[in-house]
Amino acid sequence: MKLSINQLKESNAFLNNLFENITSGIFLVDKNVRIQEFNDTFKVLFNKRDVEILNGLCGNVIGCIYTVEEGEECGNTSNCGKCCVRTAINRAFQDKKNTLKQVMNRDFYIKDSSINKHLQFTTKYMTYNDEDMVLVILDDVTEIENSKLELERNNKIIQKYNDKIKKELSIARNVQQSLIPYKTPIYNGVKLTAVYKPLYEVGGDLYDFINIDEDNVGIFISDISGHGIAAAMITTMVKAILETSKDLLYTPDKLMENINNKILNVAENMYLTAFYGVYNNKTREFTYIRCSHPYPLIIRDKEVIEIKESEGMMLGVFDGLEFKSHKTKLKQGDKILFYTDGLMETKNNSGIEFNNRVFEIINSRSDKNIHEIIEGINEELVLFKGDQEYEDDICILGMQI
């Protein structure tokens, strides 16, 4: 025999079974807010016997703290006018409007002990035995609500910590920005230009144009493995080493040896790649050293030449390294491009790296000055990556003789 849902609803046996086995506490109140019916779950929820519940006022039965501590009946306490459960019951009687899943937080006396609970309640107007009644469904959601409160507290702690980190990052950014040349310096017979884009608030790339004397200019560029504050601290340290190594600025090999010794094992699992070159304006001789850094590019007579003679190890990892400077003669009109690996390794939406595109851009703009070439590379880089995020700091330097 098939039963329809309406038949089930009209079945007293079905409704009684549902009433007694549902996990929510359920009770019926009359117009005086006295409890006329209730289920076993309700008894367990407030640890009451049948005789303590039947015909009792709602607040007194559930052990509302105001009825207990003020010694008053439910309806006469200082809180009854503000009680959300009582307000919902009255509205159900007066306007036949239901309240759905509202949460009340209050202390209740259960077994003579005050316990704070979060109760989710629903009220529904109905008639029972030809009398107006309100059905109240209660669920103890204390654990859920406490978890929410704990989550909110933790979120506030995290937010406070994040705000502190942001403030520190802002300070670190200002410090790091002070390490970068405020404006591109002008040297006799040499044009210089730069583009720098840190991945985060603070980055791991560092560059400097160093006015050694009236005939010599130094170009330094480096890249720390990693990003963020740790990388920024290393760049600050490297900048300090440069500032205190005036006597080594003429000799790239000695300068790199000094940097390596100073930052050796300073930060675990971090290392530095770097390039340093000194250009003499009288002899046009360029003395340089490369320490695992990308090869500089010389643009000469519409030809792109990679400077590959120098093969140095990364800095800050190995002790006792031997460093050797190399020399090359530059010509009038030569343009040299220095960069960190973030430039070549930037990817577009298809996962293709910018590497080959750089050479195409240089070849198409080889007759332009170094500033226009670098600006062109930067513009094409932005278009190339599309909506992809940068995965590394970007630093591009240029020198033109």
Side-chain angles (χ1 to χ4, degrees), residues 131-148:
E131 290 189 31
D132 291 339
M133 294 279 185
V134 171
L135 176 72
V136 183
I137 302 172
L138 289 177
D139 288 289
D140 188 346
V141 293
T142 303
E143 288 189 13
I144 296 173
E145 292 299 320
N146 284 342
S147 295
K148 287 181 182 178

Side-chain angles (χ1 to χ4, degrees), residues 184-193 209 215-217 219 279-281 336 370 398-401:
T184 304
I186 300 173
Y187 297 106
N188 183 32
V190 180
K191 293 180 181 178
L192 299 169
T193 189
F209 300 119
D215 296 324
N216 293 281
V217 57
I219 295 178
Y279 175 68
N280 185 285
N281 191 43
I336 305 113
I370 190 62
M399 178 174 76
Q400 182 170 343
I401 308 304

Side-chain angles (χ1 to χ4, degrees), residues 147-278:
S147 295
K148 287 181 182 178
L149 291 172
E150 182 67 21
L151 183 61
E152 287 176 7
R153 283 193 290 269
N154 289 338
N155 284 341
K156 286 180 180 178
I157 293 171
I158 292 170
Q159 185 60 51
K160 185 177 180 180
Y161 179 75
N162 285 340
D163 290 343
K164 181 181 178 182
I165 291 295
K166 285 181 180 179
K167 185 177 180 180
E168 290 176 353
L169 280 172
S170 178
I171 295 170
R173 180 179 175 83
N174 291 336
V175 170
Q176 191 175 40
Q177 287 297 316
S178 69
L179 307 181
I180 304 299
Y182 175 68
K183 60 181 180 179
T184 304
I186 300 173
Y187 297 106
N188 183 32
V190 180
K191 293 180 181 178
L192 299 169
T193 189
V195 169
Y196 175 56
K197 296 180 180 181
L199 177 63
Y200 300 116
E201 286 283 339
V202 288
D205 288 2
L206 175 69
Y207 77 90
D208 201 2
F209 300 119
I210 305 169
N211 185 10
I212 301 173
D213 59 37
E214 60 181 13
D215 296 324
N216 293 281
V217 57
I219 295 178
F220 181 87
I221 184 170
S222 65
D223 184 4
I224 298 287
S225 62
H227 310 284
I229 291 179
M233 290 176 66
I234 303 295
T235 60
T236 304
M237 186 175 178
V238 172
K239 176 67 173 181
I241 296 169
L242 290 175
E243 293 286 347
T244 56
S245 302
K246 301 294 185 181
D247 56 329
L248 303 177
L249 295 177
Y250 292 96
T251 52
D253 54 346
K254 298 298 182 184
L255 179 65
M256 289 301 191
E257 182 179 8
N258 187 43
I259 293 174
N260 185 63
N261 292 337
K262 293 288 179 65
I263 69 169
L264 191 64
N265 299 321
V266 167
E268 188 176 356
N269 298 323
M270 295 188 75
Y271 59 88
L272 175 75
T273 72
F275 180 95
Y276 176 62
V278 179

Side-chain angles (χ1 to χ4, degrees), residues 348-361:
N348 63 11
N349 293 327
S350 301
I352 299 172
E353 292 187 345
F354 192 56
N355 189 4
N356 293 332
R357 189 76 187 96
V358 172
F359 291 92
E360 292 174 4
I361 297 166

Side-chain angles (χ1 to χ4, degrees), residues 11 14 31 50 79 143 160 174 198 224 228 236 246 313-314 321-322 356 385 392:
S11 167
F14 172 76
K31 287 186 175 181
D50 290 15
N79 187 68
E143 288 189 13
K160 185 177 180 180
N174 291 336
I224 298 287
T236 304
K246 301 294 185 181
M313 292 291 292
M314 64 189 70
L321 294 179
E322 292 186 7
N356 293 332
K385 78 175 185 65
D392 201 354

